[in-house]
Each structure stands twice: as C-alpha cells, then as structure tokens.
Amino acid sequence: MNNTLKTSLVLCDLDHLLLGTDGNLPQVLRDVMQLFSSRGGRLTVFSQRSPKAVRTILGSVRLAAPALVCGGTLAYQFATGTGQPLCSFAGREEAVLQKLPSAVGLGIALQMTDGSTRVLRMSEALEAHLQQEWTPYVLSSAADVRGEDVLRILLYQDKKQMPLVPLLDKALGEAADSLLAERVAPDLLVLTPGAVSGTAMFNAVCPPVGCAAEELTVVANCTQMLELMHLAGHSVVPADAAAELRLAAAQTTLTDHDTGAAAEYLYNLVRGAEATA
C-alpha cells in the first residue's frame, strides 16, 4: 500500500465527473477507481442523489469516508449504513411542507434524513429522473411527514415555461423568502432551509477518518462544492468547468468532464505515487 496515497483523501463530484451520459459509471472509470483504491488511495463522493441511488451506481466500489449525498445535506457512511443530516425542515410543517403548490405537470419529492425518497406528487419529469437515477421511492402525503425528517424538497416541472418561482411565492407566502432555491437542472428546482456551509460538510467527512484540510483534494464540477474547494489543501476541476470553478481551482485537467477528467486525475495520482515509492 502506498503511503503517499494513503495520507490523502479525494472527494469527487459523482454526478458531473464520474457518470456517463446514461447515468452509469463507465467501466474504464470503474477500473481506474479500483486501481486507485488498490494502491492505497482514499476516495469519497459528492452527489445530488440519495444514498441508495449512489450505492447502486458505485456497485463494488468502496468509499473510504462518508459521502456527501442529497446535494451535500447528508453525510452518509456506507460502511455502517448511517447518515448525519446537515439541515432539516424542523418546525416548518405548516409553513412549508403542507403548503407546497399543486399544479399540472409539477412533481414534488422529498429527500429524507434517513436517506430515503418520498414522492408527494408525481409528474413525467419526476418519474424520468427517478428511473434514470436508480432512485427507490415511497408515495407519501405531506400531512404524514415531519419537518425534522426532511432534508430537501425537489420540484420537477414537465414544462420549462412553468412559472415555478411565482407559484412558490403564492403558495408559501413569506415562508418562501427564508428558503434557499437552487436550479440544479433545467427541470429541477431544489428547496433547502438554507445553505449548508462548506465547513459543516468538511467536518462531517474529514475528521471522522482522520483527514486534515491540507490532506483533502476536492475534484469538482458544480458550484455547490466551491466552499469545499476553498477549504481543501488541493482542488481540481475539468477543462470545461464553469469560469467560477476554474478561477477557484488549483489545478485544471487536460480533458473535459465527459472525456475522462476524473480518470486522468486519479490515474496520474497513482503514477506519481508509484514513481516516488
């Protein structure tokens, strides 16, 4: 086992760097990840997906630290099947959960603190996402949900021209102003009680495995990982990353996100470690 790799931890963006266009982990990248781990490398991931969806995608790939799932709102340890929620809608049942808008073509799903997904209202876009992302779910009613058990509210719209923000403002009133709304896909708007800080995410992932800030490398391709990039000892983005990410990164790969950026970086780590062994 190589000590150079063993002393560091790589936190990689799963959704935008490790997955192919079909939503699966390409075999070549799976092989590189296994090689990295076999040489002593420590790897974990950041994903918008639920823990069960991430586990299905990774298959036999094992993570060396808690993964940041559900958009960084849940630190999940797959080895023990336990999670640490970093936010919740506690006390907001009446103000938010029971007042969510109802409209044709609007699907609503909840990501829960136990790692499960509950669907309050199905739509074509929501159904497509659930299938593509390998996400198991349970149909539920907002009246049966406790705010303390909810991490995020996912709003899927079938039509791009749907006035989603005005719908939310009308349904939630002043409560809408206290929520963080993020457009993470053209047909998906995510609501959280507020932003989860990079420090909170770092503390949930690194101290439990004895990793200091200078030993963390963040390989990112989404702005939700920006604060983590600033905290880490090293940060990497693909060649085609957004300008904001490229400016914040210490290193940019030669390849784009969909042509091997993650594989390039991980393989170079293995080669570099073996050269100095």
Side-chain angles (χ1 to χ4, degrees), residues 222-239:
C222 70
T223 55
Q224 287 171 306
M225 299 179 74
L226 260 176
E227 285 191 40
L228 282 169
M229 291 173 62
H230 292 304
L231 291 171
H234 191 60
S235 56
V236 183
V237 297

Side-chain angles (χ1 to χ4, degrees), residues 17-136:
L17 283 174
L18 298 180
L19 302 184
T21 55
D22 59 356
N24 292 311
L25 189 63
Q27 187 60 49
V28 63
L29 192 44
R30 190 181 297 274
D31 291 343
V32 170
M33 293 167 69
Q34 296 285 21
L35 174 66
F36 178 72
S37 296
S38 70
R39 297 297 189 272
R42 298 195 296 169
L43 177 72
T44 191
V45 297
F46 179 101
S47 177
Q48 301 292 335
R49 292 165 165 78
S50 69
K52 290 183 179 179
V54 171
R55 180 72 277 160
T56 298
I57 290 169
L58 291 178
S60 62
V61 175
R62 294 292 176 255
L63 302 179
L68 288 170
V69 296
C70 301
T73 62
L74 180 66
Y76 197 84
Q77 180 58 270
F78 287 101
T80 60
T82 57
Q84 177 185 346
L86 303 184
C87 70
S88 80
F89 280 86
R92 301 195 186 190
E93 290 88 354
E94 293 185 3
V96 177
L97 296 178
Q98 296 174 17
K99 291 186 177 180
L100 292 170
S102 176
V104 176
L106 176 63
I108 302 178
L110 308 177
Q111 287 181 329
M112 311 298 287
T113 57
D114 64 0
S116 65
T117 298
R118 296 195 184 187
V119 172
L120 302 185
R121 215 168 282 127
M122 188 62 80
S123 70
E124 292 180 5
L126 172 52
E127 185 175 17
H129 274 268
L130 291 170
Q131 292 178 353
Q132 182 182 20
E133 297 170 10
W134 307 95
T135 303

Side-chain angles (χ1 to χ4, degrees), residues 212-227:
E214 59 269 20
E215 297 170 327
L216 174 67
T217 294
V218 173
V219 187
N221 195 27
C222 70
T223 55
Q224 287 171 306
M225 299 179 74
L226 260 176
E227 285 191 40

